[in-house]
Amino acid sequence: NRTNRWYRNAPYVFGIRSAACALAAGNTTILKSSELTPRCYWAIGRAFEDAGLPAGCLNIIHCAPQDAPEVVNAMIEHDAVRKINFTGSTAVGRKIARACGQNLKPCLMELGGKNSSIVCHDADLQTAVQGVLAGAFLNVSLGYTAPVARISISVSSMSQG
């Protein structure tokens, strides 16, 4: 149901993270909201505005689901847009990546795939195990915060016994 999807996809976390990182790097930013969570992104925009962010630094866009492909393609094709950051489904991510490639725009994708943990040869294994287990199960219900699926450990770091 929609309520579970809204919670699972953590729109505030992803929206704030995307906007704050870009703004901190000195960029103006456009956030296109999910059709499922437009008010969340409006609230993010309002919070930044209330905090004193100058007008035009953060721009929130919402559109009807049937208009999203046209709106997103227009944003990707616009000369002022220099980089795309997308969090969502693999199917939509492929379309966005294709459009970015055609327009020679770099893109960062978070598509909800499986995450890996790499344990270096000089790591404290007790600490590493605790961290890997936390990563595997923390936020497991969030759709795009995928749990750890692979663990790579240097064999030389494993003790005998």
Side-chain angles (χ1 to χ4, degrees):
N1 87 26
R2 283 185 168 199
T3 303
N4 287 338
R5 267 207 227 149
W6 292 344
Y7 169 74
R8 197 172 58 232
N9 292 339
Y12 289 106
V13 172
F14 292 120
I16 290 169
R17 180 185 66 190
S18 296
C21 291
L23 291 166
N27 298 296
T28 56
T29 303
I30 302 168
L31 285 181
K32 188 211 149 294
S33 69
S34 163
E35 62 275 4
L36 299 176
T37 58
R39 289 184 185 201
C40 294
Y41 276 51
W42 176 86
I44 291 169
R46 181 63 188 259
F48 275 100
E49 181 182 323
D50 290 350
L53 186 69
C57 290
L58 177 61
N59 305 280
I60 308 296
I61 294 179
H62 176 70
C63 63
Q66 65 271 18
D67 298 331
E70 183 179 350
V71 169
V72 170
N73 284 332
M75 289 175 16
I76 293 170
E77 291 170 1
H78 197 283
D79 289 338
V81 174
R82 296 188 320 225
K83 185 172 184 175
I84 306 298
N85 181 339
F86 173 74
T87 299
S89 72
T90 301
V92 174
R94 278 190 184 104
K95 293 174 186 176
I96 290 174
R98 187 176 303 118
C100 288
Q102 290 170 341
N103 289 277
L104 298 176
K105 302 274 175 98
C107 60
L108 174 64
M109 302 279 174
E110 185 173 341
L111 303 177
K114 302 293 185 185
N115 293 320
S116 297
S117 285
I118 300 171
V119 178
C120 298
H121 73 280
D122 59 346
D124 177 316
L125 290 180
Q126 289 295 102
T127 302
V129 166
Q130 290 173 355
V132 168
L133 288 175
F137 296 105
L138 188 66
N139 297 326
V140 77
S141 66
L142 298 179
Y144 299 118
T145 307
V148 171
R150 287 180 301 259
I151 302 169
S152 297
I153 300 174
S154 173
V155 175
S156 65
S157 68
M158 308 225 10
S159 62
Q160 301 294 323

